[in-house]
Amino acid sequence: MRSARVGAARLKARNQVTRIGRTNEGPLRATARNEILCGDCVASMERLAQESVDLVFADPPYNLQLANRLHRPDQSLVDAVDNDWDKFANFAAYDAFTRDWLAQARRVMKPSATIFVIGSYHNIFRVGAIMQDLGFWILNDIVWRKNNPMPNFRGRRFTNAHETMIWAARDQSAKNYTFNYEALKAANEDCQMRSDWLLPICGGTERLKDGAGRKTHPTQKPEALLARVILAASSPGDLVLDPFFGTGTTGAVAKRLGRDWLGIERDGDYRAAARARIAAIEPLPNETIATAPSKRTEPRIAFASLVEAGLIAPGATLVDARRRHRAVVRADGALSLSGFVGSIHKTGALAQGLPACNGWTFWHYEEKGALAPIDDLRAEARERLKVAAE
Amino acid sequence: MRSARVGAARLKARNQVTRIGRTNEGPLRATARNEILCGDCVASMERLAQESVDLVFADPPYNLQLANRLHRPDQSLVDAVDNDWDKFANFAAYDAFTRDWLAQARRVMKPSATIFVIGSYHNIFRVGAIMQDLGFWILNDIVWRKNNPMPNFRGRRFTNAHETMIWAARDQSAKNYTFNYEALKAANEDCQMRSDWLLPICGGTERLKDGAGRKTHPTQKPEALLARVILAASSPGDLVLDPFFGTGTTGAVAKRLGRDWLGIERDGDYRAAARARIAAIEPLPNETIATAPSKRTEPRIAFASLVEAGLIAPGATLVDARRRHRAVVRADGALSLSGFVGSIHKTGALAQGLPACNGWTFWHYEEKGALAPIDDLRAEARERLKVAAE
DNA sequence: TGCTTTATTGAATCGTTGC
DNA sequence: TGCAACGATTCAATAAAGC
């Protein structure tokens, strides 16, 4: 079951939606959800409400410049990307296109939203520079390392074994962007997730193919890549926009992970493939996708309230883990440390001679001869609050 | 001894040099070698002869924009890069600077030369876009993955665990650039070298420090990184230009690998450190660095990574278990056995007159008088890289 | 001397809340 | 709006110190 808070927010957002068709006609009062908009992504985004999406994933044309056809050593032809949508007259044309869609993406992003743009060396430098020029604030560049890349058949370069994603906030001042740091760390052997991700390319049964066995889309991204992006930078119920939807990997993964999604795609074949694909997706049970509470999102508790609640008595003695320092709890929730009176943090800092200190983990109380951090008392107080709220 | 052909070419180049001082005064008829030019890199490069260098390695200022001081969880202060040389008023100023030095670098590059530029997400996108605008033809972007990066202390982003190098030819038509494909392949388990390189950051005894233990330069690059760049994209006797010479890693590695070098540096302290450092470098014997035969060779195994990691030194002697055969370790990870150059397997087979051989168990190194198979070193290397093995 | 423990450090665009 | 307080946060390698 979706949590009550998230469910309510999502329902509210749903009710604000003005249902629209699949064409570009008419204005939008709010932003659609869980649909594929037909048409050019700039025109489509222009009609979306500003500050309405929580996350953008964009896989724009790479502007590959393959002058000639490429043959493998056995003389077979490499099925290169030569679609019309990847053709631009020159860098200036590509830059203008890039500026247009990025500006619109930025407009529809909530202040707390972030954007991922994936590309290769053909286009990612232009994309990144334009993002900076538009005011995006880059948080990381992320390297998708492919464990099974296509080799360089001519032996004239290094194997092009990675693609680059730029992760950016809407602007420098946006400090409250969604980043599920703890969840990613837990998923990575309790080490913080690095900027290089090793993932296989999209193949096997995941790769969409037509009746004749031809791949439906030349650059279909692996769902594992989108899963990490969406888990890292959104919450259940959030709206994920993909302006270059293709065959809908973003929508499929978003639906599975309990996020809403919105795709924009010009090509009818891609839209049809995406629609069928997403319809077959079964969302995961809510308990598997609910974001774990992080310390940052827990309600703040004043140390004084622990004293008021009787969890710690005025006059009690607190010590650090090694019993080197002693402080006495005052009735007003401050501590007294050899004549100095201050907060648990200030006294902890003073005791250690440091500029700052987290008093919750520094100070301990004695219970049955053993020491426990006063953070345990805070957890107890939060537990009581939670019970009282129900 | 250097080979006759290479030696002659080098001598000829030397004779063309007009000796210059360390100031920016006066024109240059040709390009100096094995010196550090004092001054601004744009002005200095303007005085170099056009089409005179074979390889450029550039580590320009990254334009970091640090808003505040950063403390570790233990409250210690992070020693961030806040040098004046990394300060620019805005993106436009950084772009203008970048355009200027890149244009000069391109002018002095031979048609067959390539350039490596290293940067982070702060600057690399602007650098890459400007390179494309100036006509450079990007061959690869290469990711330097750090196995020991600084963590993200606030838990607000992914660990910034890599830097990016752009490798480019002077223009699209330059097809004859130097790329030692076979040597790199032999050094990488007989697999093509990928675009992601795992290397430790510069530390330990390699890191230059002043008398008080402070690092001489805040961003000294590891020699292993430069070694792979120089081995990949130059030949013995070639001239390697570094317009942001710093403490001279490029010069040190170039000299060791039998390349000529030219550095440009504004800071007198950096220049002095670089000069002393390079003077202490002993070039490797020629047989360890001569370009390997270009014909496709039998399968080889990743012996080069042991050399890069310092587990076995270039020039070291390997013997078989009964000390009947001796081979010398080359800097590119191949072995030299009485004039024949090949992989550890090929040389082992040749020594025994057998069609094939497992070099890992055939060849031994000497440690404290005892012999041990180089397979032990491979195990050690694997242990070190366990983090990255995934 | 050798092993264990502790301290230091590296290109970093690294908060939020309430008065 | 600015300022001060709260309080959350680290991985690997190297070097130094302790035993």
Side-chain angles (χ1 to χ4, degrees), chain B residues 324-347:
Chain B
R324 293 187 194 174
H325 308 284
R326 309 178 68 79
V328 176
V329 175
R330 293 159 44 86
D332 61 7
L335 297 189
S336 178
L337 175 78
S338 45
F340 175 82
V341 171
S343 71
I344 53 174
H345 312 296
K346 198 81 172 171
T347 50

Side-chain angles (χ1 to χ4, degrees), chain B residues 1-22:
Chain B
M1 282 281 291
R2 191 171 303 284
S3 79
R5 195 172 54 82
V6 170
R10 195 179 182 184
L11 201 61
K12 188 179 167 197
R14 280 255 169 86
N15 290 340
Q16 291 172 342
V17 170
T18 299
R19 185 67 172 76
I20 61 156
R22 292 202 178 80

Side-chain angles (χ1 to χ4, degrees), chain A residues 39-47 96-97 99-102 104 107 243-244 264:
Chain A
D40 171 73
C41 77
V42 177
S44 295
M45 282 193 283
E46 278 173 352
R47 295 167 53 253
F97 161 75
R99 236 184 312 270
D100 285 350
W101 77 258
L102 278 170
Q104 282 305 318
R107 190 186 63 84
F244 305 96
I264 305 173

Side-chain angles (χ1 to χ4, degrees), chain B residues 345-386:
Chain B
H345 312 296
K346 198 81 172 171
T347 50
L350 181 73
Q352 300 173 91
L354 293 174
C357 161
N358 183 347
W360 290 110
T361 52
F362 177 75
W363 290 114
H364 293 60
Y365 68 103
E366 192 148 4
E367 192 174 41
K368 294 167 191 160
L371 289 186
I374 57 176
D375 214 18
D376 290 1
L377 297 176
R378 182 166 63 161
E380 168 71 15
R382 285 194 172 131
E383 196 59 35
R384 290 190 185 181
L385 298 181
K386 197 158 57 179

Side-chain angles (χ1 to χ4, degrees), chain B residues 29-98:
Chain B
R29 280 198 293 277
T31 296
R33 288 185 176 228
N34 305 315
E35 295 192 41
I36 310 176
L37 304 183
C38 160
D40 171 74
C41 75
V42 178
S44 296
M45 282 192 284
E46 278 172 353
R47 296 168 51 253
L48 300 181
Q50 68 176 16
E51 302 193 355
S52 58
V53 310
D54 299 284
L55 173 64
V56 179
F57 179 86
D59 183 12
Y62 285 12
N63 192 25
L64 302 183
Q65 293 149 58
L66 313 169
N68 301 105
R69 297 198 301 178
L70 178 66
H71 292 266
R72 296 188 176 81
D74 67 1
Q75 304 301 327
S76 65
L77 187 65
V78 173
D79 182 20
V81 175
D82 57 356
N83 307 62
D84 286 339
W85 49 252
D86 198 40
K87 295 197 192 310
F88 294 85
N90 47 43
F91 282 136
Y94 186 79
D95 291 350
F97 160 76
T98 301

Side-chain angles (χ1 to χ4, degrees), chain A residues 181 185 192 295 343 345 360 378:
Chain A
Y181 173 78
K185 183 176 176 180
Q192 56 179 219
K295 288 189 180 177
S343 70
H345 310 295
W360 291 110
R378 182 169 63 160

